[in-house]
Amino acid sequence: MVCNDSYINAKSVCFLLKKIYLKYFHLGVPITLVLDNARYQKCKLVRRYARCLNIELLYMPSYSPQLNLIERLWKFVKKQTLYAKYYANFDDFKFAIQDCLHKTNTSFKSKLDTLLSWNFQSFENVKKLTV
């Protein structure tokens, strides 16, 4: 897990790329990251750095949150950690989020298995109305 309690920018994305590279390059398999279109993920610095690390960056279509499973996960984490909850300090708040994320494969697995599925409407083979 990579934690960042500051702003996300191109340098922090490059830091993440390096962490992923160091963890997986020895497996000898291609690394592809699926990203949204945030400016700091699409800038020249990030694209060049990914190329140097031999990491493919695959960008989702604009305005397609239904394809971005992380949006569903964040919504779940917010519901578990923010709604009607008070944290006396920032460290308690961070711990609650990290604890929730650590429980994704245990306590919350059954809930997340359905929430993080690829069930969404496809527009293939749909009759089109002609006007």
Side-chain angles (χ1 to χ4, degrees):
M1 182 181 301
V2 176
C3 295
N4 182 340
D5 52 19
S6 178
Y7 290 100
I8 303 295
N9 58 30
K11 288 182 182 180
S12 58
V13 173
C14 289
F15 176 74
L16 176 63
L17 292 176
K18 185 175 182 178
K19 296 277 283 190
I20 292 169
Y21 173 80
L22 292 174
K23 184 165 176 83
Y24 296 105
F25 83 97
H26 69 280
L27 298 176
V29 295
I31 300 171
T32 302
L33 293 181
V34 179
L35 305 166
D36 62 19
N37 288 288
R39 188 177 306 164
Y40 52 81
Q41 294 177 151
K42 275 190 115 166
C43 70
K44 286 181 185 179
L45 175 69
V46 169
R47 288 182 292 154
R48 284 185 194 147
Y49 194 64
R51 212 171 313 126
C52 289
L53 297 176
N54 202 26
I55 294 176
E56 177 185 20
L57 301 179
L58 179 63
Y59 297 98
M60 291 187 296
S62 298
Y63 306 106
S64 56
Q66 75 281 5
L67 299 177
N68 194 349
L69 293 180
I70 196 68
E71 296 293 342
R72 296 183 210 171
L73 176 62
W74 284 128
K75 185 176 181 179
F76 177 83
V77 170
K78 286 194 297 187
K79 184 177 180 182
Q80 295 297 315
T81 60
L82 292 180
Y83 296 177
K85 302 217 171 42
Y86 169 77
Y87 299 99
N89 59 56
F90 187 64
D91 286 337
D92 291 345
F93 172 68
K94 283 193 322 187
F95 177 80
I97 292 173
Q98 289 173 350
D99 186 52
C100 182
L101 290 172
H102 284 302
K103 291 178 181 174
T104 56
N105 282 331
T106 57
S107 305
F108 300 134
K109 184 170 180 4
S110 61
K111 289 180 184 177
L112 291 172
D113 281 347
T114 56
L115 182 66
L116 300 180
S117 70
W118 285 106
N119 294 333
F120 55 87
Q121 184 176 356
S122 169
F123 291 99
E124 293 178 12
N125 302 319
V126 174
K127 287 185 179 179
K128 296 177 184 155
L129 296 175
T130 56
V131 182

